[in-house]
Amino acid sequence: MVAGEPSGDLLAGLLLDGLKARWPDLQAVGIGGPHMLQRGFQAWWAQSLLAVRGYAEVLPHLFKLLSIRRDLGARLIAHPPDVFIGIDAPDFNFGLEARLKAAGIPTVHFVSPSFWAWRAGKLAKLKASADHVLCIFPFEPPLLAQHGIAATYVGHPLASVIPLEPDRLAARAALGLPPDEPVVALLPGSRESEIRYLATRFLTAARLILLQRPTTRFVLPAMPALRAAVEQAAHAGGLGDRLLIVTGQSQRVLAACDVTLIASGTATLEAALFKRPMVIAYNMNWLSWQLMRHRNLQPWVGLPNILCREFVVPELLQDAATPEALAAAVLDWMDSPEKTLALQQRFAALHQELRRDTAQLATDAIEKILAR
């Protein structure tokens, strides 16, 4: 198995629960993170080495990444596993999967690349790489079938993990937050590049919100490796004791908040499953942005909007993601209880649609592949 980033590690950990329930003596090796390690996974390389996003950002790490992929492929071909499962990270996994597939090793790709958004060119690579695709959104298998790609809808694992009715008060108590003050969650991302491009914008926006709502509290969950960088940005942010920085606990923070200012990515779906109004933002290297913006196949970037097929939450991207605009969008949610209630009802319906026994469905699909 190879999971290249924290969201993939979470998905792989849930999948491992199903695999080990079916095959108690299963051994899982490759590249993974803490959720996988907790389930006995043997990591040959640290997951953090793969957590690089963007075009320009990846260039300094390219040689190392290619070296890891080459060495891992050689090791697996020399000692073939029963199946290889690549979890997301298509830029790394597709090349590895294609090599393993050509060597006769069954390959599964868990989480289809977003070909329906801006990665249509990935379909040919996906077909050449994966014997089977495990899809987390219901509309994907029929689209993949049109291109001759076998796929199974397994639901989104997060929809089963996150409760249908999150306990806001319990989450606040666990974080030491008062039950009756407004709370804004700041989630600038889990990668170093995201912290660099978004953290200061988010913290500046928080200071502007505080000027309008002096009782507001802000909570920022930081990855352990990035906490120092977050604290450095926060020190210059001027929020004082109105800002709480915690290590990890992003789901608890989302459960506790009233609204979140959040980087585009998997975390936006988590926020939707917690039924929280949000403002989606993103900012990246200028060259990476120019390359990506012309490849977008639909008007939405955030997963909640893509799944709902309309702008149910605002998206402020690149130059539009100014602190002033971010603050105004957050304040609009805080001033609009009726709009918030309607959004929560929409997200509740989405939650039900995505809620499946993912571990079992995925394990059933993998068992059929092994039986061929």
Side-chain angles (χ1 to χ4, degrees):
M1 304 177 80
V2 170
E5 51 192 43
S7 58
D9 171 50
L10 178 61
L11 295 176
L14 296 170
L15 176 57
L16 278 170
D17 286 338
L19 295 174
K20 284 184 171 289
R22 188 72 51 91
W23 299 291
D25 296 330
L26 176 137
Q27 292 181 313
V29 301
I31 301 175
H35 289 282
M36 299 166 72
L37 295 175
Q38 288 170 9
R39 292 159 172 86
F41 183 83
Q42 182 182 348
W44 291 340
W45 283 272
Q47 182 189 59
S48 58
L49 295 172
L50 273 60
V52 184
R53 189 174 192 176
Y55 295 94
E57 294 87 344
V58 81
L59 290 177
H61 307 275
L62 185 59
F63 179 80
K64 180 66 173 178
L65 292 171
L66 293 174
S67 176
I68 292 173
R69 187 167 68 178
R70 181 181 63 249
D71 292 347
L72 177 57
R75 189 168 179 176
L76 293 175
I77 290 172
H79 304 282
D82 294 296
V83 63
F84 174 84
I85 305 172
I87 300 92
D88 211 355
D91 294 322
F92 184 92
N93 275 325
F94 280 178
L96 177 60
E97 289 167 10
R99 183 180 176 189
L100 299 177
K101 183 179 180 181
I105 297 171
T107 57
V108 174
H109 194 78
F110 188 14
V111 183
S112 172
S114 50
F115 63 92
W116 31 264
W118 51 23
R119 292 195 166 201
K122 294 284 183 182
L123 282 174
K125 292 183 179 179
L126 178 61
K127 187 173 184 178
S129 303
D131 290 305
H132 203 89
V133 182
L134 304 177
C135 298
I136 59 176
F137 298 124
F139 61 84
E140 292 175 326
L143 294 177
L144 290 173
Q146 295 174 12
H147 297 272
I149 300 172
T152 300
Y153 171 56
V154 298
H156 201 297
L158 290 174
S160 297
V161 173
I162 296 172
L164 292 172
E165 297 183 5
D167 191 333
R168 192 194 312 264
L169 292 179
R172 290 194 176 193
L175 292 168
L177 295 170
D180 53 354
E181 291 185 353
V183 175
V184 176
L186 305 176
L187 279 76
S190 59
R191 301 177 181 85
E192 186 277 332
S193 61
E194 290 172 328
I195 297 300
R196 184 167 70 252
Y197 285 102
L198 286 174
T200 298
R201 292 169 185 262
F202 280 21
L203 292 164
T204 304
R207 190 166 66 245
L208 295 173
I209 293 167
L210 197 59
L211 292 174
Q212 299 288 327
R213 298 284 189 282
T215 61
T216 304
R217 291 180 180 265
F218 301 90
V219 188
L220 197 162
M223 295 292 293
L226 298 174
R227 177 155 185 152
V230 169
E231 288 178 341
Q232 184 177 359
H235 182 72
L239 294 172
D241 61 3
R242 306 310 295 181
L243 172 66
L244 171 65
I245 299 175
V246 297
T247 300
Q249 305 184 73
S250 60
Q251 291 193 1
R252 178 171 286 164
V253 170
L254 287 171
C257 76
D258 296 296
V259 59
T260 178
L261 177 55
I262 190 167
S264 177
T266 302
T268 62
L269 180 60
E270 292 183 85
L273 294 173
F274 276 103
K275 326 299 182 302
R276 298 300 182 247
M278 72 191 81
V279 177
I280 297 174
Y282 213 77
N283 187 272
M284 61 172 62
N285 173 279
W286 180 87
L287 177 59
S288 295
W289 171 252
Q290 295 304 317
L291 292 169
M292 290 186 69
R293 66 193 292 261
H294 296 297
R295 299 172 63 190
N296 198 5
L297 302 179
Q298 54 187 346
W300 315 284
V301 169
L303 279 169
N305 291 334
I306 290 171
L307 290 167
C308 292
R309 314 305 294 172
E310 63 175 300
F311 283 104
V312 295
V313 298
E315 297 178 2
L316 296 171
L317 310 176
Q318 205 62 7
D319 293 340
T322 65
E324 293 77 13
L326 297 173
V330 170
L331 287 166
D332 182 62
W333 281 120
M334 297 173 76
D335 292 336
S336 307
E338 292 183 0
K339 188 170 74 168
T340 296
L341 179 60
L343 181 74
Q344 290 171 335
Q345 293 171 344
R346 188 76 177 269
F347 284 166
L350 176 63
H351 197 155
Q352 292 283 9
E353 183 180 12
L354 297 177
R355 197 177 178 90
R356 300 288 186 272
D357 189 342
T358 298
Q360 180 173 328
L361 291 172
T363 301
D364 289 345
I366 292 168
E367 187 173 40
K368 291 178 182 177
I369 294 166
L370 293 175
R372 290 177 183 172

